[in-house]
Every structure is written in C-alpha cells, then in structure tokens.
C-alpha cells in the first residue's frame, strides 16, 4: 500500500476557510454567559431581609428597678419579718433633700431615696453586729469588756473619750444606734462642736471598712451614708451662711469670686482637716461628703476632685468596700455635677479592672470564714453596680458610651450574674441607639454569657425570642453570623429540636441565597459554629449552602490561608458525608461544589504551593471521583501553565516540578473506577507530559492506556442507562492514534511500538459480533500510517522530535509502515468479505465506501494496485444498491474536481473508471 | 517688707508715761531632745537662742495720753542686720523660729511698766525661679531592702511607682503613683509617712531628731495587683515649712512609703523631700 505524499501547508492553504479576524479576548463562543449583576444582587438582598417582622414595641420597664422589684423572695421575706425596714426611717428633712437632689438631675433620674429602702429591705442579717460609737449613745449599759478596752486604746480619743464597742447587737439595734449617731451629729453641730461632729463622721465612715457580717454591708452602707449626707449638708449650709453679705444670700449658681474670704478660709480649713485624716476610707468618705463645698473655692474644684477621689478608691483593697465607695462617689457626683460623666465611667472601668479580685485568695478566705457562698456574695454587689450604671446611663450624651459599657459589663462579669439578668440586658440593649456601639456585638456578648451560664428557667424562651427578633433583622451577614453562631449554642442547650430547627432554618435562610460568604468565613468562630450543627445531614446542608454561595459570589481566585482552611474544612465535611447510601445525584452535586472551590484556588506564581494544595485536596477528597478528575485536570493545567511561563524551556527546577505534576497524575488516575475517564485522562496527561518533554513519562501514560483498552466493557452506564461502549471506544482510539503520530519511538523498543501494541490490543479485543467498529478503526489507522510516511508530519509538539525527524524518512521505517498498512488493509478486506451475506450487505456497502474514501484521500493512486483496489471498492459499494446515490455523486464530483489540481491528473483516469450506478 | 499696725491704748483717765517703745525680735530656739542631752553636754552652750533680728523704735516721747481710746499707728521695716537671712516662722519640736513684737510703756517708779507681746508670722516670699520637678521612680523588692535580718523569710513582692517630684511646693500636694505588681503575702495597708527631721548642730557635734508629722493611708487591704494607686498627700499647714538649712540647724522633710503586709512585715522606702514656697 502506498500513501501519497502530502504537502500539508499548501493543502491547508487551499482548504482553509476564508479567515475572519476574531477578537478572542472578549468573545469566545464557549465562554459562559455572564451577566453583570451588581444591581440584581442588591435587589435580592433587600428582598430577603424584609421578610422579618418587627415587633419590638414591648413596653419598657426600668431595668434597674426590675432587678429589685417585689417578686424578690428575699425582700418579701424581709418585709414580712421586719416591719421597720418597710418604712425606712426617713424624716421630713431627708425627704425634702432628696427632692432637691433629684430636681438637680431631672425628675426622670431614679433618686437614691427609692433605692435606699430596697437595699435596706433586701440585705438583712440575723447575725449579731457590733459597732464602735461615740457620743451620747453609750448610756446603754453594756459591760466594758477587755476587748473594748484594747480597742479604746487603739482609737483616736474622741473628746468625750466614751466610745465603746457594742457587741451582740441585733440588726434593729444597730440601725437604731446609727440613727442615734446621726442625731448626735446634728446635736454636736448645733452646739457648735464642729470638731466633735467631724469625729463622729469619721468614726461612722470607719465602720464602712469593716466587712464582718458581709451580707449586711449594703444596708450598713445605706445607713452610714445617710449620716455622711447629713454632715455634707451641714457643712455646706454653714459655709453658705457665712457668705451672706448684707443679708443677701448667694444665688444658687454663685461663682467662687462672690464668696468672701472668711468663708473660703473656713472651707479650706475643712479640706485641710479632712486631708489629714489618717485612714483611707474615712478620708475618702468625708471628703466625698463635702464635695459640694468645692464650689466655694474654685469653679474647677469639683471637676478636679472627682477624678482624684475616683483613683483614690483604687487603694481600697476589699472589692466590695471599693465598689460601694464608688457608688457613693457616683451618687455625690451626680448630685453635685451630673455633667461630669468621665469620672463615672472611670469608676466603672476601674471596677471592672478590679473585678478579678473577687476570685482572689483574700476575698475567698473571707467568704469561707463568714460562710457566705459566692452567688450570695455577688448579689451584694448589685445595688452598687446598678447604681453606678444608672448614673452612667442617665442622659448619656451619646449612647455609644452606654452600649460600650453594657458590653464591657457583659464581658467582665461572671456569666451567672449576666444570665440571671438577661432579660434586663436585652431590654437595655434594645434601648440603645442604633447609631452607637453595634448592637450585634452586644447580643453576641450576651449570647456568650448565656452559653456559659443558664438564665432562669422561666425566661429562657422569652430571651431567645427577644434576642432572635433583633438578630434576625441584622442586615450584614457577617454581623448576623457573629450573633447567630453564639446563640445557636444557647438554643441547643435549652430547647428542643423544634426551636433548634427554627433557628437553623433562619441561619440558613440568611446565609444561603445572596450572602457574601467570602466575608463571613474568615471569622475564627465560623468553623466552631458549623461544628455546632450536630446532625450531620443538617451540617452538610449548611456546608452546601456555603459552598454554593462561595462559588456564586467569589469573583476571583483566592489564596487566603484562612479562607482556604475554612473551605477545606467545609468541603471535608461534605466529602465525609458520602457513604455507600449516598445517591449519585448527591455525590455529583457535592463533587461539583468541591470542584468549584478547587477551581477558585490559585496561589498565583507559587506553583509548588498550588501543587501541594492539590495533593492535600486529593488526600481529603479521595472518595469523590469527579473531584479527583478535576484535580488531575488542574494539575495538568498547572504543568502547562508552568510551560507557558517558562516559554517551553524548562529549567532544571521547573522540569522537576513538571515531572512531579506528571507523577501526581500517573498515580492518581488508576484510583478512578470509570474506565473511559481513566483512558481519557491517560491520554490527556500523556499529551501534557509530551508537551513538557517528559518523554518516558508520556510513554508510560500511553502504555498504561494501551494496556487498559482490553478491559473496556461492552456496555457502560451513561446517565444511569446502559449503553454500548463502542462509540466511546472508537472516539477514544481515534484520538489516541492522532496523538501517537507525534510520539517519538522509544529507542529501545521497536519501531512504532505503541501503534503496534494498540493494534494488537484492538485485534484481541472482543468486539461486538455485528459491528464494524474494528474496521472503522483500522481504516483510521490507515490515516495515521499515511501521515507517518510524510516527510514532515502535519503537526508537532514544540521541542519534541517526532519520528519524522528521528528517522528522517529512512526507507526501513517507511517499509515498516508499509508492512503494517498492508496487514491492516488485508484485515479490512477480510472483513468486507465476511459481510457478503444478505443481511449485512448494507454494512458492506458503507464500509467499502468508507474505505474507498480513505484511499482516495490518503493513498497514492498512481500505484496500480491501489488504483485497482479503489475501483473495486467503488463497485462493491454500489453493487447491491445500498449505496446512497447522492453521496456517490458527490464523491465523484470531488474526484473530478481534484483531478483539475496539479499533479492530480491520474484522478481523471480514475473518475472515468468509476461508473455511477443509476437507480433504475 | 513693712510691719504696720496700730497700738491701742484705752484708759479711763489720762495716763502719765515715760515713753512708749516697740521692739521687734526674731530668734531661733534650739532645744535638745532628752536623749541627746547627755551626749552633748558641752553643746548646751551653743544651743542658746540665736537672734536673727532685734530692733526697737520709740513711738511716743514721755508725756501724757488723753483719756479714752488712743490709737497710735506704726510702721516697722523688716530689715536684716548685715547679710543675715530672715527665716520663716516655724514651730517645731526642737527648732523654733519665732518673731515677736513687744510694746513697752515705761512708767514712773510708782507704777509697773506695761508690756504687751504679740507674735507675728513671717512667711518668706516665694522663691524666685522655677522649681524644677525631680521625679523619682522606685522599685521595691525583697532584694532592694536594707536592714533585713532574714531575707529568706520575706515573702516575694514587687512594688513599683514614682513620685512626680521630690521638690515640692508646700501648698501643693505630694503626688505620684504606686503599683503593687505582685506580692505573695496579702497587703494590709500602704501608708505615706511624712517625717520632719530637725538637726541642731555646731562644730562640736549635732543632734538629729525625726518626728512623724503626718501619716496618710493610701491603700487599705489587699489591693488589686497591677492597678496604679495614687499617691496624694497634702502638706499640713502648721507642721511644715520650706526646707531650711543653716550653719546651726536644719529642718528637712522626708516621706516614707510604708507597706504593711498581712504577716506583719513592714516595708519602708524613704525619700527625702525638698519643700519650698512658690
């Protein structure tokens, strides 16, 4: 058999279609249709958020007062047991003063007086108290014990030298005693014994440093600060009265300049006296009590004093004593200068700083000694903290501060404390200004607390409802997920599946269709959040949602390690959900999602990183074949990309890298179960290897493909239906042969080793009985062989010497090809003969025509034998009337047209020898 | 400066007198504390009052004063003899600087001379020039302590802090900060002890006496670790004066930061102060 010589270049020139310049950059027919959709995105987002209802109009109650309202069992009990406390000893003057106070800060500020009674009623004790007192109160005859005497020596001597430590007082006695002290203070003052009055006050405030019988401390604080208030008022009024010039008293908002020197001097004297009080706590309280008197000295006096007193409290070691000192300072500060918020805040922050002390040894030891449990102990703080917060929150200039404080409260306090008051906190959070500190952070903080400690049983559902109402309205997905992740845990802890489902449904609803996930996942908590989805199916659903939106919204490839890590985790979760029972559809979907992710990963020029990512992905997703396929393609692409970057000239390093890529493919492909996938991948990878000058690797691929061909089953499942595989095989083999043209022969194997091998395999393959595929393949092999005889092959792989260069048209090589061709031709002819039966005549005709075409196209028809063969085939095709006349006519026309070309004159003869059979 | 005022004489009838004079005296009295007397017996001689200023003026020549109330105004220039310095009035335990004004009415032999004495206070003028703040940082650990008997038995602690200045204006409080960074034993109390050190001396020797004049507690109980505690102390008006240094005597001030731990360890850190009036 003789192949005709071809000049591919000139042929292509002749055959080429008229070339139309195309702009490949913009338009590619296969490119998916993309719509620029910034507008649509917005729309959808809007749509999804408006679905949530708003109903936060529940009535607001004062969060602070509600803590202490009548339902508190303690206060109920106390009210019943102790009739006096229900009517706290408020004399007319005091009440009047309270009124004055509150008018200074506005009537909406809950005054101290209303707190006072609550505290007294709540913090009671049945234990015996002791008091060190001076003045007239000592007439009650209690025996002077040894202890008293030693105490006497320690104490600064009061003028009368008559103070005693009174032991074993009941609470009621104690309160009476303090009231007596209050009275004796007033008496001393009115009888002009100023020093004695001061000493009484100092003695009283000293009592506040004593924390024995700790559960009574808040009440003690209330009682003693009453005395301090009285004292402060007395001093103030006294100095004010000294300022009366010409019987005209000073206006309310006088300036220090209008105060005369005597009054100033007196005032200064008070401050000097107080400054020399030895002990810290009395010094603090007394100075705070007369804080208002600073007004006489200078305009800035109070604003300078408050911060100083605030930091002075830091010296108080006992946290309980300190917090009450802060509460007192805030109280006085609010009275005197409600506009000075900074010290209030500073007080609060200082308190937060020292809060850790509660768990320190000193406090714990004290509690053990007094047999007080931590929860009870913590409640002792609440009046003071509530008060401080109320002061801070009152007319807060911008709510930002307010919310900030709330947030720090929630993060600083023990979770139990917060949990017990979560309803109040929710109310407060809802009250906060939208423009200030972000609410979602507040809810998040609250949620964190609730995850740690349980709120009261009855409130639980309401808490969830209230909180979720707000959370679900959050527009920003990141804010939303930040909150939601925390609250899901709470929901899981306390509620049934139904609630959890509702919550999850909401989460999914928010996070699915149009959420920009790429923003959400870098959150470190994101993965733990996912882990909270206990039920695997739900978790996988969520993962799928995430991946869908990722693929949909991720515009450009990424290499962010956080994102990669998170998504790998998600993909892994999805992958791990695959088991024997998983539906094909499901698998395909998961695989598509994972593939989408893999395609979005790009490390740019860091090819090695990219490869190692693929390796990692392979180990993670080994159960999903489509993912493996994608990985192989990706790796191949990577290799080609490397080649492109190196412009085909691999350096030693890139060559090694490319070989690594090839090796990756080579070991991955066998793990696939679909044989055609394997074959195609072998072929594809072989081509890549060839393109990258990895000749032996390419050989290995092709050999593997060849040896795999016999295993191709007759029927394969395509889209769930069983189909004969021959069409696929045919297609593959044609493709394969085309590739083999450029594959150079292995120096140690025989000529056309691979082609021969493949032919042998085809020969041995058990073809379908009534199919002509084998012959079609043989015919196609002839195409290949004819191409191989050309001096220069029709195509080449850059930088790879194909057989045309290797053999340089060597006659031995050509002879080999000829031998091979003849074998193939004889195979074809044998087959044609077997088709001579009635029922196979049509196939025979078709095959003959096909073969004829091949010869006309590729054979050298000047060769007589070939010429004769073609004529015979032509006749055979028409012999039994099965030939399609139209095709025959066209073929003939083609031959005639060809004959007009130069060097094709022999076609004219041929055309004459080809009779056209008429239909009749 | 000029000391001015009026002498008021009230009488029912006319008063005969041999002249009225005013005497201004200023002196430093040094006393030795009992414990030092034995040691420095020879010292007694030198411890006699040192006169700073002494001058007399004749107000009224001998004659008669009319009945009723007579007011005689006077002005007295405060001028030092030579290059002596006019110290500020000061009443300490061992050092006293006192200024008096004495009015004497000499009378005939039949009647006793009348004398009236009155102390006046000398406040030095504010010192010129700016007071340079001299901040001091301090760290107290068991290792920094002196006079420790058994260092091993000490609990570990680290107290850091600073005084904003050891050069203090007497009318301004002493300020600073103190941080208990760590302490094994619980803190019981932290106090500021203002100590006055009076030194009397001459060539033969000297006597040095320290008196606590004020003690201010700045921390009570086991304070929070790592939280700065303010140091704030107002100087007591009666017991302090600008730091004084002369050849014969000195009045100096020191502040001790006293940390009392729960196991009754007492840690003291001393800082000399320099007070002045601005």
């Amino acid at each position: 058999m003789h192949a005709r010589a071809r000049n591919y270049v000139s042929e292509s020139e002749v055959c080429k279609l008229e070339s139309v310049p195309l702009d490949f950059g913009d338009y590619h027919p296969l490119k998916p249709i993309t719509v620029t959709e910034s507008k649509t995105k917005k729309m959808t987002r809007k749509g999804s958020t408006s679905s949530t209802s708003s109903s936060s109009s529940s009535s607001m109650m004062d969060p602070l007062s509600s803590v202490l309202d009548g339902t508190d069992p303690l206060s109920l009990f106390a009210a019943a047991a102790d009739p006096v406390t229900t009517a706290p000893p408020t004399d007319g003057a005091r009440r009047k003063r309270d009124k004055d106070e509150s008018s200074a800060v506005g009537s909406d500020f809950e005054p101290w007086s209303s707190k006072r009674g609550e505290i007294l009623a709540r913090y009671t004790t049945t234990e015996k108290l002791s008091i060190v007192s001076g003045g007239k109160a000592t007439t009650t005859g209690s025996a002077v014990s040894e202890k008293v005497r030693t105490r006497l020596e320690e104490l600064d001597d009061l003028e009368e030298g008559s103070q005693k430590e009174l032991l074993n007082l009941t609470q009621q006695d104690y309160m009476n005693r303090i009231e007596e002290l209050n009275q004796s203070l007033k008496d001393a003052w009115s009888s002009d014994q100023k020093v004695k009055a001061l000493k009484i006050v100092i003695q009283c405030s000293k009592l506040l440093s004593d924390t024995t019988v700790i559960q009574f401390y808040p009440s003690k604080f209330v009682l003693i600060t009453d005395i301090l208030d009285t004292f402060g008022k007395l001093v103030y009024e006294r100095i004010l009265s000294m300022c009366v010039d010409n019987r005209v008293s000073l206006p309310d908002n006088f300036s220090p300049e209008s105060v005369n020197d005597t009054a100033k001097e007196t005032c200064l004297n008070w401050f000097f006296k107080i400054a020399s009080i030895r002990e810290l706590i009395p010094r603090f309280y007394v100075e705070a009590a007369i804080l208002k008197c600073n007004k006489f000295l200078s305009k800035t006096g109070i604003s300078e004093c408050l911060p100083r007193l605030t930091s002075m409290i830091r010296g108080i070691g006992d946290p309980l004593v300190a917090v009450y000192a802060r509460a007192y300072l805030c109280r006085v500060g609010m009275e005197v200068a409600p506009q000075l918020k900074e010290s209030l805040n500073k007080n609060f922050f200082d308190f937060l700083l020292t809060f850790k002390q509660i768990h320190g040894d000193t406090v714990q030891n004290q509690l053990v000694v007094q047999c007080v449990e931590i929860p009870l102990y913590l409640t002792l703080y609440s009046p003071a903290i509530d008060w401080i917060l109320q002061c801070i929150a009152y007319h807060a200039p911008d709510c930002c501060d307010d919310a900030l404080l709330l947030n720090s409260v929630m993060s600083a306090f023990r979770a139990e404390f917060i949990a017990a008051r979560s309803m109040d906190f929710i109310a407060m959070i809802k009250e906060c200004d939208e423009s200030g500190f972000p609410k979602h952070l507040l809810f998040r903080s609250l949620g964190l607390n609730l995850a740690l400690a349980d709120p009261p049983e009855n409130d639980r559902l309401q808490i969830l409802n209230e909180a979720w109402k707000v959370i679900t309205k959050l527009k920003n997905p990141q804010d939303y997920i930040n909150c939601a992740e925390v609250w899901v845990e709470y929901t899981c802890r306390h509620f049934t599946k139904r609630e959890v489902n509702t919550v999850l449904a909401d989460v999914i609803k928010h996070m699915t269709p149009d959420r920009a996930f790429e923003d959400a996942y870098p959150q470190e908590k994101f993965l733990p959040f996912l882990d909270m989805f206990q039920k695997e199916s739900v978790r996988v659903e969520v993962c799928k949602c995430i991946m869908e939106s990722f693929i949909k919204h991720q515009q450009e490839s990424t290499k962010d390690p956080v994102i990669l890590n998170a998504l790998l985790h998600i993909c892994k979760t999805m992958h791990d959900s695959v088991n024997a029972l998983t539906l094909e559809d499901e698998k395909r979907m998961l695989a598509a999602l994972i593939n989408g992710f893999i395609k979005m990963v790009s490390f740019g020029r860091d090819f090695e990183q990219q490869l190692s990512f693929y390796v990692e992905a392979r180990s993670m997703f080994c159960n999903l074949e489509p993912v493996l396929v994608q990985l192989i393609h990706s790796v191949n692409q990577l290799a080609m990309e490397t080649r492109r970057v190196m412009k085909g000239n691999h350096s030693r390093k890139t060559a090694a890298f490319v070989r690594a890529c090839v090796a990756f493919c080579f070991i991955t492909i066998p793990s696939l179960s679909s044989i055609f996938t394997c074959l195609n991948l072998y072929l594809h990878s072989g081509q890549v290897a060839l393109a990258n000058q990895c000749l032996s690797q390419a050989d290995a691929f092709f050999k593997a493909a060849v040896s795999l061909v016999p295993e191709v089953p007759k029927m394969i499942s395509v889209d769930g239906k069983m189909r004969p595989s021959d069409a696929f095989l045919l297609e593959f083999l044609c493709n394969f042969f085309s590739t083999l043209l450029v594959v150079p022969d292995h120096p140690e194997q025989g000529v056309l080793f691979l082609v021969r091998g493949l032919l042998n395999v085809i020969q041995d393959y058990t073809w379908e009985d009534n199919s002509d595929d084998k012959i079609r393949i043989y015919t196609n092999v002839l195409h290949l062989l004819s191409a191989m005889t050309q001096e220069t092959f029709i195509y080449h792989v850059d930088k790879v010497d194909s057989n045309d260069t290797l053999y340089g048209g060597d006659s031995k090589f050509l002879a080999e090809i000829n031998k091979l061709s003849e074998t193939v031709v004889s195979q074809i002819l044998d087959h044609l003969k077997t088709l001579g039966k009635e029922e196979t005549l049509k196939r025979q005709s078709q095959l003959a025509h096909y073969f004829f075409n091949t010869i006309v196209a590729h054979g050298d028809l000047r060769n007589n034998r070939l010429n004769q063969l073609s004529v015979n085939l032509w006749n055979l095709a028409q012999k039994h009337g099965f030939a399609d006349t139209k095709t025959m006519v066209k073929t003939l026309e083609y031959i005639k047209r060809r004959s007009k070309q130069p060097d094709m004159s022999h076609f004219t003869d041929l055309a004459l020898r080809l009779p056209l059979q008429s239909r009749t | 400066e000029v000391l001015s005022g009026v002498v008021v004489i009230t009488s029912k009838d006319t008063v005969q007198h041999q002249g009225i004079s005013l005497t201004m005296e200023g002196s430093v009295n040094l006393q030795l504390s009992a414990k030092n007397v034995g040691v420095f017996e020879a010292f007694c001689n030198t411890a006699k009052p040192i006169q700073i200023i002494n001058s007399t003026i004749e107000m009224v020549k001998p004659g008669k004063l009319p009945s009723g109330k007579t007011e005689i105004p006077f002005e007295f220039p405060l001028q030092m003899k030579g290059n002596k310095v006019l110290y500020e009035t000061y009443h300490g335990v061992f050092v006293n600087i006192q200024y008096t004004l004495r009015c004497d009415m000499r009378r005939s032999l039949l009647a006793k001379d009348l004398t009236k004495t009155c102390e006046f206070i000398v406040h030095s003028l504010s010192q010129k020039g700016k007071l340079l703040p001299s901040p001091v940082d301090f760290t107290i650990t068991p290792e920094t302590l002196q006079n420790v008997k058994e260092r091993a038995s000490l609990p570990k602690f680290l107290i850091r802090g600073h005084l904003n200045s050891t050069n203090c204006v007497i009318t301004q409080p002493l300020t600073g900060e103190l941080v208990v960074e760590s302490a094994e034993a619980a803190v019981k109390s932290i106090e500021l002890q203002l100590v006055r050190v009076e030194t009397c001396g001459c060539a033969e020797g000297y006597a040095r006496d320290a008196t606590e004049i004020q003690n201010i507690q700045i921390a009570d109980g086991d304070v929070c670790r790592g939280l700065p505690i303010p140091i704030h102390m107002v100087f007591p008006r009666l017991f302090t004066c600008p730091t004084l240094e002369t050849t014969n005597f000195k009045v100096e001030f020191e502040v001790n930061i006293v940390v009392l731990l729960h196991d009754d360890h007492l840690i003291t850190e001393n800082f000399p102060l320099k007070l002045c009036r601005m």
Side-chain angles (χ1 to χ4, degrees), chain A residues 537-601:
Chain A
S537 58
V538 179
R539 187 159 67 217
V540 172
E541 266 322 298
V542 172
C543 291
K544 271 156 74 177
C545 295
I546 293 167
M547 289 313 295
E548 265 168 28
S549 39
F550 172 78
I551 292 164
K552 201 163 163 189
H553 292 281
Q554 184 76 16
Q555 303 287 345
E556 43 198 48
S557 51
T558 177
K559 62 174 181 178
D560 182 339
V562 182
I563 295 178
L564 290 187
N565 190 28
L567 287 185
L568 272 178
H569 180 92
I570 291 169
C571 289
K572 178 93 177 119
T573 310
M574 296 199 293
H575 169 263
D576 292 351
S577 72
V578 173
N579 55 29
L581 297 176
T582 314
L583 294 173
E584 277 305 313
D585 272 351
E586 176 75 9
K587 275 194 205 169
R588 194 163 41 234
M589 185 161 172
L590 294 178
L593 290 174
I594 297 176
N595 284 347
F597 162 60
I598 289 172
K599 280 187 221 160
M600 290 318 288
V601 177

Side-chain angles (χ1 to χ4, degrees), chain A residues 228-229 231-233 284-292 328 332:
Chain A
L228 288 168
D229 287 345
F231 175 71
K233 196 185 100 194
F284 165 77
Y285 272 104
V286 180
E287 182 166 0
I290 65 160
L291 184 70
K292 201 176 178 185
Y328 184 67
V332 178

